Amino acid sequence: MEESKTSSNATSSFTAVIPAAGIGSRMQSDVPKQYLKILDSTIIEHTIERLIQHPRIDQIVVALHPDDAVFNTLPIAKNDWLTCVVGGNNRCDSVLNGLQICQSEWVLVHDAARPCVRLADIEKLLALANTGTGGILARKATDTMKRALPQRETVDKTEDRNSLWHALTPQFFPTVQLRDALNACAQGGLTVTDEASAIEQTGGTVTLVEGAIDNIKVTLPLDLALAEFYLTQQSKEQ
Ligand code: C5P
Protein backbone atom coordinates (compact mmCIF):
# COMPACT_ATOMS: atom_id res chain seq x y z
CA MET A 1 0.00 0.00 0.00
CA GLU A 2 1.31 3.46 -0.86
CA GLU A 3 2.26 5.69 2.03
CA SER A 4 -0.01 8.68 2.47
CA LYS A 5 1.62 11.99 1.72
CA THR A 6 -1.01 13.90 3.67
CA SER A 7 0.52 16.71 5.70
CA SER A 8 -0.88 18.40 8.79
CA ASN A 9 -0.30 21.81 7.23
CA ALA A 10 -3.76 21.47 5.73
CA THR A 11 -5.38 20.52 9.00
CA SER A 12 -4.70 21.56 12.55
CA SER A 13 -7.39 19.61 14.35
CA PHE A 14 -7.91 15.91 14.75
CA THR A 15 -10.51 13.28 15.57
CA ALA A 16 -9.83 10.75 18.32
CA VAL A 17 -11.52 7.36 18.07
CA ILE A 18 -11.88 5.51 21.37
CA PRO A 19 -12.65 1.79 21.08
CA ALA A 20 -14.66 1.07 24.25
CA ALA A 21 -16.75 -1.92 23.24
CA GLY A 22 -14.73 -4.56 25.08
CA ILE A 23 -16.01 -6.47 28.07
CA GLY A 24 -12.64 -6.50 29.89
CA SER A 25 -12.80 -10.18 30.86
CA ARG A 26 -9.30 -10.11 32.44
CA MET A 27 -10.48 -7.54 35.00
CA GLN A 28 -12.70 -10.12 36.77
CA SER A 29 -15.41 -7.51 37.25
CA ASP A 30 -19.16 -7.50 36.51
CA VAL A 31 -18.80 -4.03 35.03
CA PRO A 32 -16.77 -3.47 31.81
CA LYS A 33 -13.41 -2.11 32.97
CA GLN A 34 -13.84 1.35 31.45
CA TYR A 35 -16.70 1.93 33.93
CA LEU A 36 -14.71 1.10 37.04
CA LYS A 37 -13.99 4.17 39.14
CA ILE A 38 -10.60 5.70 39.86
CA LEU A 39 -10.75 8.63 42.30
CA ASP A 40 -14.07 10.35 41.48
CA SER A 41 -14.64 9.29 37.87
CA THR A 42 -14.87 6.23 35.69
CA ILE A 43 -11.79 5.24 33.70
CA ILE A 44 -13.36 6.27 30.40
CA GLU A 45 -14.22 9.73 31.77
CA HIS A 46 -10.59 10.28 32.77
CA THR A 47 -9.51 9.15 29.30
CA ILE A 48 -11.98 11.35 27.42
CA GLU A 49 -11.15 14.36 29.61
CA ARG A 50 -7.48 14.00 28.73
CA LEU A 51 -8.24 14.00 25.03
CA ILE A 52 -10.67 16.93 25.31
CA GLN A 53 -7.97 18.94 27.10
CA HIS A 54 -5.72 18.73 24.04
CA PRO A 55 -6.22 21.89 21.96
CA ARG A 56 -5.92 20.09 18.60
CA ILE A 57 -8.51 17.37 19.27
CA ASP A 58 -12.00 18.60 18.43
CA GLN A 59 -14.00 15.44 17.70
CA ILE A 60 -14.18 12.29 19.81
CA VAL A 61 -15.86 9.14 18.55
CA VAL A 62 -16.55 6.44 21.13
CA ALA A 63 -17.32 2.88 19.96
CA LEU A 64 -19.61 1.19 22.49
CA HIS A 65 -20.80 -2.36 22.99
CA PRO A 66 -24.28 -2.85 21.47
CA ASP A 67 -25.67 -3.64 24.96
CA ASP A 68 -23.93 -0.72 26.68
CA ALA A 69 -26.37 0.91 29.09
CA VAL A 70 -23.85 2.92 31.10
CA PHE A 71 -22.11 5.41 28.82
CA ASN A 72 -25.11 7.63 28.20
CA THR A 73 -25.72 7.94 31.95
CA LEU A 74 -22.31 9.57 32.47
CA PRO A 75 -22.20 13.40 32.59
CA ILE A 76 -19.44 13.42 29.97
CA ALA A 77 -21.77 11.82 27.42
CA LYS A 78 -23.47 15.21 26.99
CA ASN A 79 -20.27 16.80 25.67
CA ASP A 80 -20.88 18.34 22.22
CA TRP A 81 -17.64 16.93 20.82
CA LEU A 82 -18.66 13.36 21.47
CA THR A 83 -20.36 10.98 19.08
CA CYS A 84 -21.06 7.32 19.85
CA VAL A 85 -21.04 4.44 17.38
CA VAL A 86 -21.72 0.76 17.91
CA GLY A 87 -18.56 -1.32 18.25
CA GLY A 88 -17.81 -4.65 16.62
CA ASN A 89 -16.74 -8.15 17.62
CA ASN A 90 -13.08 -7.19 17.88
CA ARG A 91 -11.24 -3.99 18.67
CA CYS A 92 -10.33 -3.53 14.99
CA ASP A 93 -14.03 -3.75 14.00
CA SER A 94 -14.89 -1.14 16.63
CA VAL A 95 -12.19 1.18 15.28
CA LEU A 96 -13.40 0.70 11.70
CA ASN A 97 -16.92 1.69 12.77
CA GLY A 98 -15.51 4.80 14.44
CA LEU A 99 -13.54 5.77 11.34
CA GLN A 100 -16.78 5.93 9.30
CA ILE A 101 -17.63 9.28 10.90
CA CYS A 102 -14.12 10.61 11.42
CA GLN A 103 -13.90 14.17 10.07
CA SER A 104 -10.16 14.77 10.09
CA GLU A 105 -7.47 13.78 7.56
CA TRP A 106 -5.45 12.12 10.32
CA VAL A 107 -6.92 10.18 13.23
CA LEU A 108 -5.79 9.23 16.71
CA VAL A 109 -6.98 5.91 18.11
CA HIS A 110 -6.76 5.62 21.90
CA ASP A 111 -7.80 2.82 24.26
CA ALA A 112 -10.62 3.70 26.64
CA ALA A 113 -8.60 1.95 29.34
CA ARG A 114 -5.54 4.26 29.15
CA PRO A 115 -6.57 7.18 31.40
CA CYS A 116 -3.01 8.32 32.24
CA VAL A 117 -1.87 9.39 28.76
CA ARG A 118 0.08 12.64 28.91
CA LEU A 119 -0.77 15.66 26.74
CA ALA A 120 2.96 16.11 26.02
CA ASP A 121 3.09 12.61 24.52
CA ILE A 122 0.01 13.27 22.39
CA GLU A 123 1.75 16.43 21.16
CA LYS A 124 4.87 14.47 20.20
CA LEU A 125 2.73 11.98 18.29
CA LEU A 126 0.73 14.65 16.45
CA ALA A 127 3.99 16.10 15.12
CA LEU A 128 4.21 13.02 12.87
CA ALA A 129 1.55 14.55 10.63
CA ASN A 130 4.26 16.92 9.37
CA THR A 131 6.33 13.94 8.22
CA GLY A 132 3.55 12.20 6.27
CA THR A 133 4.22 8.92 8.13
CA GLY A 134 2.03 7.78 11.00
CA GLY A 135 3.10 6.09 14.19
CA ILE A 136 2.41 5.04 17.73
CA LEU A 137 3.38 5.84 21.28
CA ALA A 138 5.59 3.01 22.48
CA ARG A 139 7.75 2.01 25.41
CA LYS A 140 11.11 0.24 25.24
CA ALA A 141 11.20 -3.30 26.65
CA THR A 142 13.21 -3.35 29.86
CA ASP A 143 12.97 -7.01 30.92
CA THR A 144 14.89 -9.78 29.22
CA MET A 145 12.44 -11.18 26.69
CA LYS A 146 11.88 -14.91 26.03
CA ARG A 147 10.08 -16.52 23.10
CA ALA A 148 8.25 -19.71 24.11
CA LEU A 149 7.99 -22.85 22.04
CA PRO A 150 4.55 -23.18 20.40
CA GLN A 151 1.89 -24.17 22.97
CA ARG A 152 4.54 -24.77 25.66
CA GLU A 153 5.82 -22.93 28.71
CA THR A 154 9.36 -23.69 27.68
CA VAL A 155 11.82 -21.15 26.31
CA ASP A 156 12.63 -21.42 22.64
CA LYS A 157 15.09 -18.51 22.63
CA THR A 158 15.92 -15.10 24.08
CA GLU A 159 15.00 -12.11 21.96
CA ASP A 160 17.22 -9.04 21.64
CA ARG A 161 15.32 -6.62 23.86
CA ASN A 162 17.12 -3.64 22.32
CA SER A 163 14.83 -3.94 19.33
CA LEU A 164 11.61 -4.67 21.24
CA TRP A 165 8.98 -2.09 22.18
CA HIS A 166 5.58 -2.24 23.88
CA ALA A 167 2.92 -0.74 21.61
CA LEU A 168 0.84 1.85 23.49
CA THR A 169 -1.86 4.23 22.34
CA PRO A 170 -2.70 6.73 20.93
CA GLN A 171 -1.84 5.42 17.48
CA PHE A 172 -1.94 8.09 14.78
CA PHE A 173 -2.34 7.61 11.04
CA PRO A 174 -3.86 9.23 7.95
CA THR A 175 -7.54 8.30 8.19
CA VAL A 176 -7.83 6.87 4.68
CA GLN A 177 -4.62 4.83 5.04
CA LEU A 178 -5.84 3.34 8.34
CA ARG A 179 -9.34 2.62 7.05
CA ASP A 180 -7.96 0.89 3.93
CA ALA A 181 -5.48 -1.12 6.00
CA LEU A 182 -8.12 -2.28 8.51
CA ASN A 183 -10.51 -3.17 5.69
CA ALA A 184 -7.78 -5.15 3.92
CA CYS A 185 -7.07 -7.10 7.13
CA ALA A 186 -10.79 -7.75 7.68
CA GLN A 187 -11.18 -8.99 4.10
CA GLY A 188 -8.17 -11.26 4.60
CA GLY A 189 -9.68 -12.69 7.80
CA LEU A 190 -6.89 -11.20 9.91
CA THR A 191 -7.79 -9.90 13.38
CA VAL A 192 -5.21 -7.31 14.40
CA THR A 193 -4.86 -6.15 17.99
CA ASP A 194 -3.74 -2.63 17.19
CA GLU A 195 -3.91 -0.18 14.29
CA ALA A 196 -0.17 -0.32 13.62
CA SER A 197 -0.45 -4.05 12.88
CA ALA A 198 -2.88 -3.29 10.06
CA ILE A 199 -0.53 -0.66 8.64
CA GLU A 200 2.40 -3.11 8.86
CA GLN A 201 0.40 -5.87 7.19
CA THR A 202 -0.35 -3.63 4.24
CA GLY A 203 3.25 -2.50 3.75
CA GLY A 204 3.09 0.87 5.51
CA THR A 205 5.66 2.41 7.81
CA VAL A 206 4.98 2.87 11.54
CA THR A 207 7.12 5.34 13.48
CA LEU A 208 7.85 4.56 17.14
CA VAL A 209 7.47 7.61 19.41
CA GLU A 210 8.78 6.93 22.90
CA GLY A 211 6.06 7.65 25.46
CA ALA A 212 5.91 7.86 29.24
CA ILE A 213 5.81 4.58 31.16
CA ASP A 214 2.79 5.69 33.18
CA ASN A 215 0.53 5.40 30.11
CA ILE A 216 -0.67 1.97 31.28
CA LYS A 217 -3.67 0.08 29.96
CA VAL A 218 -5.89 -0.89 32.89
CA THR A 219 -6.20 -4.62 32.25
CA LEU A 220 -5.80 -6.54 35.51
CA PRO A 221 -7.29 -5.77 38.96
CA LEU A 222 -3.92 -4.54 40.29
CA ASP A 223 -3.70 -1.94 37.48
CA LEU A 224 -6.52 0.06 39.11
CA ALA A 225 -4.38 1.03 42.11
CA LEU A 226 -1.44 1.80 39.81
CA ALA A 227 -3.54 4.05 37.55
CA GLU A 228 -4.88 5.88 40.62
CA PHE A 229 -1.31 6.42 41.83
CA TYR A 230 -0.18 7.75 38.44
CA LEU A 231 -3.20 10.08 38.09
CA THR A 232 -2.58 11.45 41.58
CA GLN A 233 1.12 11.99 40.83
CA GLN A 234 0.32 13.70 37.52
CA SER A 235 -2.15 16.06 39.21
CA LYS A 236 0.67 17.24 41.50
CA GLU A 237 2.87 18.08 38.47
CA GLN A 238 0.45 20.71 37.15
O1 C5P B 1 -9.01 -6.11 25.44
P1 C5P B 1 -8.09 -4.95 25.27
O2 C5P B 1 -7.65 -4.37 26.58
O3 C5P B 1 -6.95 -5.19 24.34
O4 C5P B 1 -8.99 -3.81 24.58
C1 C5P B 1 -8.42 -2.59 24.16
C2 C5P B 1 -9.53 -1.59 23.86
O5 C5P B 1 -10.33 -2.06 22.78
C3 C5P B 1 -10.45 -1.37 25.05
O6 C5P B 1 -10.66 0.03 25.20
C4 C5P B 1 -11.71 -2.12 24.65
O7 C5P B 1 -12.90 -1.57 25.20
C5 C5P B 1 -11.70 -1.99 23.13
N1 C5P B 1 -12.47 -3.03 22.42
C6 C5P B 1 -13.47 -2.65 21.53
N2 C5P B 1 -14.20 -3.61 20.87
C7 C5P B 1 -13.99 -4.91 21.09
C8 C5P B 1 -12.95 -5.32 21.99
C9 C5P B 1 -12.19 -4.35 22.64
O8 C5P B 1 -13.71 -1.46 21.33
N3 C5P B 1 -14.75 -5.80 20.45
Side-chain angles (χ1 to χ4, degrees):
M1 181 171 296
E2 219 182 297
E3 294 281 328
S4 168
K5 300 281 181 251
T6 312
S7 148
S8 75
N9 294 336
T11 172
S12 57
S13 58
F14 301 101
T15 300
V17 172
I18 303 181
I23 52 170
S25 52
R26 288 169 289 183
M27 187 51 85
Q28 297 159 26
S29 159
D30 295 339
V31 184
K33 63 181 173 183
Q34 61 268 26
Y35 299 127
L36 295 175
K37 276 200 166 175
I38 298 179
L39 303 171
D40 286 339
S41 309
T42 59
I43 292 175
I44 195 167
E45 287 173 292
H46 284 291
T47 304
I48 291 172
E49 270 161 22
R50 279 289 154 100
L51 296 176
I52 285 176
Q53 275 168 22
H54 196 284
R56 297 178 73 192
I57 297 174
D58 66 358
Q59 185 197 17
I60 296 178
V61 180
V62 186
L64 298 172
H65 192 278
D67 300 331
D68 190 301
V70 180
F71 188 80
N72 282 318
T73 68
L74 303 176
I76 207 157
K78 296 187 180 66
N79 191 296
D80 287 344
W81 292 0
L82 276 182
T83 313
C84 297
V85 296
V86 177
N89 287 340
N90 296 297
R91 175 208 160 92
C92 47
D93 307 311
S94 299
V95 171
L96 256 179
N97 291 355
L99 292 182
Q100 305 309 324
I101 59 163
C102 170
Q103 288 170 1
S104 60
E105 281 179 46
W106 285 66
V107 62
L108 287 142
V109 180
H110 185 57
D111 290 330
R114 288 190 193 271
C116 308
V117 62
R118 290 170 178 265
L119 295 184
D121 278 355
I122 296 177
E123 194 60 30
K124 277 203 286 183
L125 192 65
L126 293 181
L128 291 180
N130 297 319
T131 71
T133 301
I136 66 174
L137 286 185
R139 177 167 70 76
K140 284 179 179 160
T142 51
D143 293 314
T144 299
M145 305 298 288
K146 306 292 185 189
R147 178 172 299 282
L149 290 166
Q151 277 93 52
R152 289 179 55 190
E153 290 180 358
T154 304
V155 172
D156 177 13
K157 60 175 181 169
T158 301
E159 299 288 351
D160 174 12
R161 74 174 172 210
N162 291 320
S163 57
L164 291 178
W165 294 71
H166 295 267
L168 313 176
T169 74
Q171 305 204 347
F172 181 56
F173 294 100
T175 308
V176 171
Q177 183 193 21
L178 181 57
R179 194 194 59 209
D180 289 351
L182 287 169
N183 273 326
C185 289
Q187 278 155 22
L190 189 67
T191 301
V192 288
T193 52
D194 74 347
E195 293 61 56
S197 303
I199 301 291
E200 294 154 34
Q201 288 292 332
T202 49
T205 303
V206 177
T207 302
L208 293 163
V209 175
E210 189 163 9
I213 61 167
D214 53 8
N215 182 13
I216 60 166
K217 183 171 69 171
V218 179
T219 307
L220 303 170
L222 267 179
D223 294 331
L224 274 177
L226 193 55
E228 178 170 335
F229 172 77
Y230 284 143
L231 286 173
T232 305
Q233 291 300 112
Q234 290 176 359
S235 70
K236 291 177 189 164
E237 290 170 14
Q238 287 155 12

